[in-house]
């Protein structure tokens, strides 16, 4: 997309300039030149455009079409109009799945301030061992989600888990974290937060380091204290990075699946309280052989994701400053 | 930071959004079909789809015996791990490239039979004799009175118990004459909260727990024609109440506890005095030092009547195989006494062919495995319908509410019956 913009711009003025009638040769040359450039642009764009088309756009269109069909278990589908969407509107499972997913989303956003504090602490000039801490905090990001979930399952275990063993030492009787309906969602969200905070932190650290030091020196001379510096300098200058991690965090948490799948699982009594939209999609598509309905769920989620992301881009004008 | 230009940012967000919508479509495209058998030089090659890697050596021996008798046919095994077996098979069957002969289980059988994926075995020559298998098992692989699969092996459920815990509590070991009352009294006596020991694990599990008691109480999970749920029947509710009472009396760990630590593990670590488990557990228990000689097994206690759920695999023929005659011949051989004997000698499963089961019993002399075979006359086929998975999900969701005490069992069972009937209505005829 950016490539297209870059190549199109220098060509555009040439096209709009009216060529002198006598200068036919130059015009033809220019036109040939333009055709050549366009061909090259197409050539360079082709791999990406084809990939996007075949692997993203076409499946999206197919999914959209399938959401209006009813599937047989061995392929073969019949058009059923809006039946899937009508059923969705009355599906209490979908409603609760959306509520749960929005909770994951909100709790995921709570990770950004945490990451910001960590980034601010680590980015302070002269701090030693930054590399070690950064690597440690980033480690969960590069660890397989399934492995993360299995280890946390052990930590959360009610009778033999490490967390409850430690709590018992201070006289607290911990709950069955991931099978108790009142704690399971928070337990899942916490693991999600733990495993994504490193990524957010690294991006914010890069953002912090790109703020010129002179600004702070100037602010100091003007008599601004650390708090004032943070709100008047750091926050606005960091806002593009914050915006970026917010958008990604929302999209990422809307797609919560693997943690619920491994940490909670099919037979957990707390599944209705933790089931995300994507998990519901999985259940319908691959457990209940209800692919058309699942396609409709996926499409509704896509619309919600697009709406929330669009909303964020609208809001961006209010608080994001590009230096 | 590098990601500053609006273009890139939008692209990142957009592609993340798009990636989500791709998932259904990606899974829907049919597997590219490739003919599995080729008749080169008069020789026909068949493929045989299985999932259990531990049984592959036994299957290879059976194939060798078959090939010796049929020099013009060669068979190759296609082993797919359990986790992917059904997803892959469903895709392959849709694309017409499923193995010529493959393993089938109860919950999936009707789905495949009803959608014409399986070849009926009624016109096979010679006509297969199904009287050599336990009747409940042969019936499991009939759809609309047509036999589609020949039973390969089977399992029933028994009452496993920890001998040391029984001795300590001064309770006599379970016997074949035990009734529910005997069982309940023992569970009560064996429970010792101080030591964290429970009488039994009331797992929210169909085959090993509540399906058995439902039929013992005279109820049913599904009507004989597979069209109506049996959960509204008071007898069925009595079979479920058997378990919820144990949980409520704290003679079983709570559902939360059993979600954290599987009852099998609790039993193996001496926290459960009794465990309703399958014949397949013999292999597990004999390989664990704590249970190797510390546990034994008895038939299930009787309610209104005796009952145990029987389930077993079958070998089926793919409807669109390019070599139907040869595939049927191989399937018939897999169901023969000779094949069953080879299976029995390996000791991993109970072969379905009557009379070959003793070798399995002898493989673990420390347990009374005969208990599993003695229950055969009372065995009830594993309840299934055309889309079993759909209401299996409902069972878990609805019964959870009764197991954790948030709803009385008759309400949960009633809700389940309504939801299950709706799911069954969607199956069509």
């Amino acid at each position: 997309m950016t490539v297209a913009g870059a190549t199109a711009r220098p060509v555009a003025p040439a096209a709009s300039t009216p060529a002198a009638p006598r200068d036919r040769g130059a015009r033809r040359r220019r036109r040939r030149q333009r055709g050549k450039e366009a061909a090259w642009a197409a050539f360079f764009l082709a791999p990406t455009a084809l990939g996007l088309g075949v692997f993203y756009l076409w499946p999206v269109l197919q999914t959209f079409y399938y959401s209006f069909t009813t599937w047989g278990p061995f392929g073969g589908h019949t058009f059923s109009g809006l039946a899937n969407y009508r059923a969705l509107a009355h599906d209490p499972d979908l409603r609760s799945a959306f509520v749960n997913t929005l909770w994951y989303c909100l709790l995921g956003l709570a990770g950004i301030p945490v990451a910001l504090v960590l980034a601010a602490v680590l980015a302070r000039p002269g701090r030693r061992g930054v590399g070690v801490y950064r690597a440690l905090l980033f480690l969960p990001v590069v660890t397989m989600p399934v492995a993360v979930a299995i280890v946390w399952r052990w930590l959360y275990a009610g009778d033999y888990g490490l967390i409850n063993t430690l709590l018992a030492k201070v006289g607290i009787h911990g709950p069955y974290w991931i099978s108790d309906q009142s704690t399971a969602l928070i337990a899942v969200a916490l693991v999600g937060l733990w495993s994504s905070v490193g990524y957010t932190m690294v991006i914010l650290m890069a953002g912090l380091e790109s703020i010129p030091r002179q600004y702070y020196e100037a602010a100091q001379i003007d008599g601004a204290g650390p708090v004032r510096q943070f709100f008047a300098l750091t926050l606005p200058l960091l806002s593009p990075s914050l915006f970026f991690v917010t958008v990604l965090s929302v999209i990422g948490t809307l797609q919560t699946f693997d943690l619920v799948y491994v940490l909670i699982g099919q037979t957990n009594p707390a599944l209705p309280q933790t089931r995300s939209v994507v998990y519901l999609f999985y259940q319908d598509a691959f457990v209940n052989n209800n692919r058309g309905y699942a396609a409709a769920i996926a499409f509704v989620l896509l619309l919600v994701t697009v709406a929330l992301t669009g909303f964020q881009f609208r809001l961006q004008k209010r608080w994001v400053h590009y230096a | 930071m590098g990601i500053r230009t609006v273009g890139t940012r939008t692209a990142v967000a957009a592609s993340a959004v798009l990636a989500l919508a791709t998932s259904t479509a990606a899974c829907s495209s049919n597997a590219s079909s490739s003919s599995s058998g080729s008749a080169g030089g008069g020789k026909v090659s068949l493929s045989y789809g299985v999932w259990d890697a531990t049984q592959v050596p036994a299957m290879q021996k059976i194939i060798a015996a078959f090939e010796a008798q049929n020099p013009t046919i060669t068979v190759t095994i296609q082993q797919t791990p359990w986790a992917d077996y059904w997803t892959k098979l469903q895709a392959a069957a849709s694309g017409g490239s499923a193995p010529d002969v493959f393993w089938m289980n109860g919950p999936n059988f009707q789905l495949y039979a009803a959608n014409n994926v399986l070849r009926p075995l009624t016109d096979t020559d010679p006509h297969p004799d199904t009287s050599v298998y336990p009747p409940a098992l042969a019936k499991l692989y009939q759809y609309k009175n047509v036999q589609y699969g020949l039973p390969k092996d089977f399992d029933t459920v028994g009452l496993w118990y920890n001998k040391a815990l029984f001795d300590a509590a001064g309770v006599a070991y379970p016997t074949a004459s035990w009734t529910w009352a005997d069982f309940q009294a023992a569970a009560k006596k064996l429970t010792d909260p101080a030591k964290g020991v429970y009488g039994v694990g009331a797992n929210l599990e169909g085959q090993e727990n509540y399906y058995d008691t439902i039929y013992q109480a005279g109820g049913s999970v599904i009507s004989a024609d597979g069209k109506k749920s049996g959960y509204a029947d008071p007898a069925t509710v009595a079979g479920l109440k058997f378990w919820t009472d144990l949980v409520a009396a704290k003679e079983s760990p709570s559902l939360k506890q059993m979600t954290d630590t599987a009852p099998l593990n609790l039993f193996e670590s001496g926290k459960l005095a009794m465990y309703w488990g399958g014949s397949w557990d013999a292999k597990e228990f004999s390989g664990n030092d704590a249970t190797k000689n510390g546990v034994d097994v008895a038939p299930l206690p009787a309610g209104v009547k005796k009952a145990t759920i029987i389930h077993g695999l079958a070998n089926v023929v793919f409807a669109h195989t390019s070599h139907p005659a040869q595939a049927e011949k191989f399937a018939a051989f897999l169901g023969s006494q000779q094949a069953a004997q080879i299976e029995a000698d390996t000791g991993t499963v109970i072969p379905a062919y009557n009379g070959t089961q003793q070798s399995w019993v002898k493989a673990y002399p420390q347990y009374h495995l005969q208990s599993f075979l003695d229950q055969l006359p009372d065995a009830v086929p594993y309840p299934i319908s055309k889309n079993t998975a759909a209401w299996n999900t409902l069972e878990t969701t609805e019964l959870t509410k009764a197991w954790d005490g948030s709803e009385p069992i008759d309400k949960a069972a009633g809700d389940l019956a309504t939801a299950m009937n709706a799911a069954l209505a969607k199956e069509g005829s």
Side-chain angles (χ1 to χ4, degrees):
Chain A
M1 270 159 235
T2 25
V3 182
T7 32
R9 223 163 280 134
V11 181
S16 57
T17 321
R22 54 183 143 78
D23 197 5
R24 281 226 183 96
R27 212 165 100 196
R28 206 177 298 132
R29 248 198 323 277
R30 216 174 290 140
R31 199 186 296 143
R32 209 168 36 228
Q33 177 96 13
R34 205 171 78 201
K36 222 167 148 189
E37 266 185 58
W40 274 112
F43 176 76
F44 284 119
L45 273 174
T48 317
L50 272 177
L52 273 176
V54 173
F55 295 111
Y56 289 90
L57 274 174
W58 179 234
V60 170
L61 291 176
Q62 269 186 312
T63 306
F64 182 61
Y65 168 67
Y66 289 147
S67 70
F68 297 103
T69 61
T70 303
W71 276 63
F74 294 94
H77 50 272
T78 49
F79 192 77
S80 56
L82 285 169
N84 288 329
Y85 288 97
R86 223 170 279 138
L88 271 183
H90 303 288
D91 190 344
D93 286 348
L94 184 77
R95 212 166 311 138
S96 70
F98 261 111
V99 171
N100 295 340
T101 307
L102 289 180
W103 273 114
Y104 289 130
C105 210
L106 286 174
L107 292 168
L109 287 176
I112 294 176
V114 177
L116 182 57
V117 170
L118 289 173
V121 169
L122 286 184
R124 278 180 79 106
R127 187 160 296 269
R128 280 158 66 181
V130 170
V132 176
Y133 283 109
R134 195 171 44 197
L136 279 178
L137 286 162
F138 197 72
L139 212 53
V141 180
V142 291
T143 311
M144 275 196 314
V146 173
V148 165
I150 287 176
V151 170
W152 275 91
R153 240 188 116 123
W154 292 335
L155 292 176
Y156 276 139
D159 288 330
Y160 314 106
L162 188 65
I163 293 176
N164 278 2
T165 310
L166 292 177
L167 283 179
K169 286 211 160 64
V170 290
I172 300 170
H173 184 70
Y176 291 94
W177 294 99
I178 50 170
S179 46
D180 192 314
Q181 297 174 340
S182 53
T183 55
L185 187 130
I186 302 227
V188 173
L190 271 179
V191 180
L193 203 150
W194 173 82
S195 52
S196 66
V197 87
Y199 176 75
T200 313
M201 180 198 75
V202 164
I203 289 178
L204 293 181
M205 271 179 87
L208 282 174
E209 270 154 24
S210 72
I211 300 173
R213 188 114 330 135
Q214 298 93 299
Y215 289 5
Y216 290 101
E217 284 160 11
Q220 225 162 9
I221 291 164
D222 288 347
V227 178
R228 181 80 199 272
Q229 280 182 22
F230 178 79
F231 284 104
L233 264 182
T234 313
L235 217 48
L237 288 172
L238 198 59
S239 59
S241 314
L242 283 171
F243 175 68
F244 174 74
V245 293
T246 311
V247 169
L248 278 199
S249 165
V250 168
I251 293 175
T253 47
L254 283 176
Q255 297 178 18
T256 304
F257 170 74
D258 36 22
L259 280 180
V260 182
Y261 183 79
V262 184
L263 214 49
I264 300 297
Q266 193 78 37
T267 56
N268 193 309
L271 181 62
Q273 281 74 24
T274 49
R275 179 167 44 200
S276 64
V277 177
V278 181
Y279 192 94
L280 191 71
F281 155 81
Y282 158 81
Q283 259 188 333
D284 272 306
F286 301 107
V287 182
N288 300 343
N289 292 320
N290 212 348
R291 309 252 152 106
Y293 192 66
I297 295 178
F299 222 82
V300 170
L301 181 59
L302 173 68
L303 290 183
V304 170
T305 311
V306 168
L308 279 180
T309 309
F311 179 64
Q312 284 177 290
F313 272 85
R314 287 291 290 271
L315 272 189
Q316 140 182 241
K317 295 187 191 100
R318 301 261 177 92
W319 67 281
V320 180
H321 304 266
Y322 292 101
Chain B
M1 58 182 278
I3 311 164
R4 270 268 163 87
T5 54
V6 179
T8 325
R9 255 187 304 119
T10 321
V12 168
S15 57
V17 172
L18 286 176
L20 166 77
T22 52
S23 16
T24 359
C27 303
S28 68
S29 50
N30 292 338
S32 62
S33 73
S34 65
S35 175
S36 43
S38 63
K43 244 189 163 190
V44 168
S45 73
L46 297 175
S47 50
Y48 181 33
V50 307
W51 65 73
D52 189 354
T54 59
Q55 292 191 47
V56 167
M59 296 302 116
Q60 231 123 31
K61 272 189 198 166
I62 294 172
I63 289 170
F66 175 72
E67 286 174 345
Q69 288 174 23
N70 301 278
T72 57
I73 308 174
T74 56
V75 182
T76 43
I77 291 183
Q78 274 183 16
Q79 192 243 329
T80 312
W82 169 256
D84 305 313
Y85 185 83
W86 298 105
T87 321
K88 189 178 159 191
L89 185 62
Q90 209 164 351
S94 310
S97 63
D100 300 290
V101 179
F102 54 89
W103 284 8
M104 178 49 61
N105 73 356
N108 283 288
F109 165 67
Q110 291 198 357
L111 183 74
Y112 282 76
N115 285 285
N116 305 319
V117 178
L118 308 181
R119 194 175 165 81
L121 298 176
T122 35
D123 359 298
T124 345
D125 185 47
H127 193 73
D129 175 17
T130 52
S131 67
V132 296
Y133 312 110
L137 204 57
K139 203 169 170 281
L140 191 62
Y141 292 100
Q142 277 174 15
Y143 181 70
K144 294 190 169 165
N145 292 320
V146 176
Q147 193 77 33
Y148 284 92
L150 291 183
K152 171 187 168 298
D153 54 40
F154 73 83
D155 42 69
T156 55
V157 181
L159 174 58
W160 291 93
Y161 59 94
N162 182 318
K163 292 193 271 192
L165 290 176
F166 268 74
D167 292 341
V171 180
Y173 294 159
T175 65
S177 62
W178 261 30
T179 61
W180 278 15
D182 295 319
F183 176 84
Q184 283 154 339
K188 197 180 173 102
K189 271 182 109 172
L190 288 159
T191 303
D192 185 352
K195 288 186 185 147
V197 171
Y198 296 89
V200 67
N203 206 8
L204 187 54
E205 198 65 63
Q207 186 178 7
E208 296 147 85
N209 297 81
Y210 60 85
Y211 284 177
D212 300 277
T213 50
I214 283 173
Y215 288 96
Q216 287 163 7
S220 67
V221 173
I222 191 165
S223 63
D225 60 1
K227 298 219 184 297
K228 218 173 147 281
S229 166
Y231 278 105
D233 181 354
T236 305
V237 176
L240 294 168
K241 197 164 175 293
F242 178 89
W243 295 109
T244 51
D245 282 352
L246 286 164
V247 178
K250 296 204 169 21
E251 287 156 25
S252 155
S254 72
L255 187 56
K256 287 176 196 166
Q257 275 170 285
M258 293 186 288
T259 306
D260 266 3
T261 317
L264 179 79
N265 302 125
L266 290 171
F267 180 66
E268 286 183 315
S269 50
K271 296 291 177 194
L272 298 180
M274 293 182 279
Y275 176 78
W276 291 41
S279 44
W280 64 84
D281 286 322
K283 196 172 161 61
E284 163 79 18
F285 292 152
S286 69
N288 183 322
D289 279 341
T291 50
K292 195 171 180 178
N293 295 304
V295 303
D296 205 346
V297 66
L300 293 179
V304 175
K305 56 184 180 185
K306 289 186 173 215
T308 182
I309 297 293
I310 184 169
H311 176 257
L313 309 183
N315 289 299
V316 293
V317 177
F318 182 44
H320 308 295
T321 170
S322 357
H323 311 288
Q326 289 86 345
E328 275 172 7
K329 204 168 191 181
F330 180 53
F333 183 80
L334 288 168
S336 71
Q337 187 176 10
Q338 193 184 349
Q341 196 56 52
I342 297 173
E343 251 189 308
D345 294 340
T346 62
T348 40
V349 290
I350 316 179
Y353 200 99
N354 282 333
T356 57
Q357 290 105 2
Q358 283 309 317
S359 314
W360 174 76
V361 172
K362 283 183 201 133
Y364 308 97
Q366 71 271 42
Y367 306 135
H368 290 98
L369 294 186
Q370 187 62 35
S371 309
F372 290 107
L373 302 181
D374 288 347
Q375 294 186 87
L376 280 179
D378 312 309
V380 180
Y382 187 95
I384 54 169
S385 78
K386 242 158 79 178
N387 193 356
T388 314
W391 49 268
N392 281 165
T393 314
L394 296 172
E395 287 176 331
T396 311
T397 329
E398 295 300 331
L399 294 180
T400 293
K401 296 171 192 161
W403 247 254
D404 68 10
S406 59
E407 259 182 25
I409 183 65
D410 33 354
K411 184 181 184 306
D415 290 350
L416 172 55
T418 313
M420 182 171 160
N421 279 330
L424 289 173
K426 270 193 215 158
E427 288 181 4
S429 55

